Amino acid sequence: MISGISHITFVVKDLNRTDKVFREILDAKEVYDSGEEHHSLYRERFYVVGGQWIAVMETEEIVNRTYHHVAFQINQSSLAEYKKRIEEAGLEVKPSRSRIGGEGESIYFYDYDNNLFELHTGTLQERLEAYKNG
């Protein structure tokens, strides 16, 4: 039986550069840095964001941009602050998809290695209700 998500892994070219995305934009706490040791496939760091374990691995094997992404829930009142952080980091903010009323708002942005992140204000229940009434 699945009890939840264990962790989410991102693959990046430069752990130090990506560290800024996690710490300065997503308020992540670093809990592990492999240094030069390789217990897994690559050098890696672990972070905790909103109680979720995030693994970041360093390699040159980066893929092109897609819509695959992870969405972190934020408060509506925090949207402007997060957008400012993203822009100050020099990251690309992707235009949001069209939405119907009640499903929440989102900021989409790519990190330095084409990983797409979403900061979303809505909940699953709010989205289901919006789709039902939309």
Side-chain angles (χ1 to χ4, degrees), residues 65-94:
R65 290 182 174 187
T66 71
Y67 191 67
H68 296 286
H69 67 277
V70 62
F72 293 103
Q73 188 166 0
I74 63 170
N75 292 325
Q76 178 75 30
S77 61
S78 300
L79 272 172
E81 173 59 30
Y82 279 104
K83 187 167 184 183
K84 179 181 174 191
R85 291 182 191 186
I86 295 162
E87 290 170 345
E88 286 176 351
L91 299 172
E92 178 186 343
V93 175
K94 180 178 171 36

Side-chain angles (χ1 to χ4, degrees), residues 10-28:
F10 293 96
V11 178
V12 303
K13 289 183 182 177
D14 184 331
L15 282 174
N16 292 327
R17 182 174 65 174
T18 299
D19 182 77
K20 293 178 182 181
V21 172
F22 280 89
R23 288 180 190 257
E24 295 176 14
I25 295 173
L26 301 175
D27 296 319

Side-chain angles (χ1 to χ4, degrees), residues 99-103 124-134:
R99 298 192 176 273
I100 60 174
E103 68 170 302
L124 173 59
Q125 191 57 42
E126 289 169 339
R127 182 166 299 182
L128 293 174
E129 195 64 31
Y131 284 4
K132 179 179 155 188
N133 295 327

